[in-house]
Amino acid sequence: MRTLLLLLIGLLAFDAHAGDEEAMARFNYLMGDATLRQQAYEAGEERIVLCGHCHGKDGNSKRDYIPNLAAQNPLYLFRSFEKFANGERNHFVMSSLAKSLSLEERVDIAIYFSQQKVVPLPVIGDAAQRQHGKELFDNICHACHGAQGEGQEKAPRLAGQSAEYVRLALTRYHDKDPRRALSVMYSVAAGLTPTDIESVAAYVQQLAP
């Protein structure tokens, strides 16, 4: 029984790795050709009808507690879909949606949202709060999320996310929400106070270009 369990775990890990490699190959193939990239963009635009209800057709969220997808790294977006599909992340709507999409559709949607522009949000908080947030961000967040919060393949873009979304996300990590049990953010957020979280959130909101 133990041998069978280990074999199943190994197969699942192999499938996830193979899917990631296949997705990367498709990204490189599409992003390296302007015509193919445009075709993927248009295909993605057709598939984001449901996504647009919450995240906005242009990837700028219609609700401040839902993340913006505009200008996110396309591979990060694809990997997020995978986590919802395989149960690593759990959300009633996103988990169901991710499982209903093919790899090609997930890649196309990721490319579509990655090409959108972030709409700047109002500056909030006072200068002292934002400065405190900047100091925390520079010390704790920039290594993964980028010096200007631009994100990368394995960490989301934070620049231009609403302060409310960032506050809620950091608070969930701080409180060890079991839906994110595998995230490295547990240890990162553990040392933040509510005041720290509010400051980082205020700083991040005004980072959009």
Side-chain angles (χ1 to χ4, degrees):
M1 181 69 179
R2 178 178 173 80
T3 301
L4 177 60
L5 179 60
L6 290 173
L7 177 60
L8 288 173
I9 292 173
L11 288 173
L12 288 172
F14 176 79
D15 285 344
H17 182 65
D20 199 50
E21 287 189 340
E22 185 179 354
M24 177 64 85
R26 180 167 173 79
F27 279 126
N28 291 336
Y29 177 64
L30 295 174
M31 298 302 283
D33 185 293
T35 299
L36 294 176
R37 184 170 66 247
Q38 180 61 28
Q39 290 173 354
Y41 177 97
E42 292 171 359
E45 187 173 18
E46 293 179 0
R47 295 296 292 154
I48 58 96
V49 175
L50 291 176
C51 310
H53 289 307
C54 294
H55 295 284
K57 183 178 179 180
D58 63 352
N60 288 278
S61 175
K62 295 183 177 181
R63 300 171 179 83
D64 61 6
Y65 58 87
I66 294 175
N68 291 335
L69 302 184
Q72 286 285 2
N73 183 286
L75 192 55
Y76 171 79
L77 289 177
F78 172 81
R79 285 172 172 158
S80 295
F81 269 131
E82 296 303 280
K83 290 177 181 179
F84 282 118
N86 65 25
E88 185 175 334
R89 295 181 65 177
N90 182 32
H91 185 275
F92 177 74
V93 175
M94 287 300 303
S95 298
S96 299
L97 178 62
K99 292 174 183 177
S100 72
L101 297 169
S102 67
L103 181 142
E104 180 175 328
E105 289 170 329
R106 295 195 297 273
V107 170
D108 292 344
I109 289 173
I111 288 176
Y112 171 81
F113 278 124
S114 74
Q115 302 300 300
Q116 305 305 308
K117 294 182 179 180
V118 177
V119 176
L121 296 170
V123 174
I124 63 171
D126 57 35
Q129 182 187 46
R130 294 193 300 275
Q131 179 59 33
H132 180 52
K134 182 181 187 308
E135 292 168 359
L136 289 167
F137 186 94
D138 290 346
N139 288 331
I140 301 172
C141 312
H142 83 280
C144 294
H145 294 282
Q148 296 300 313
E150 66 273 17
Q152 55 173 320
E153 291 179 1
K154 295 185 178 181
R157 175 189 176 91
L158 297 181
Q161 294 290 357
S162 76
E164 178 63 7
Y165 169 72
V166 175
R167 184 189 69 78
L168 287 172
L170 285 175
T171 299
R172 291 189 186 108
Y173 289 126
H174 179 275
D175 295 345
K176 295 181 170 52
D177 186 326
R179 291 172 296 180
R180 301 292 182 88
L182 298 177
S183 176
V184 298
M185 285 298 298
Y186 264 26
S187 59
V188 174
L192 298 176
T193 67
T195 298
D196 292 336
I197 290 173
E198 294 279 357
S199 297
V200 171
Y203 172 69
V204 164
Q205 177 166 305
Q206 53 89 52
L207 275 179

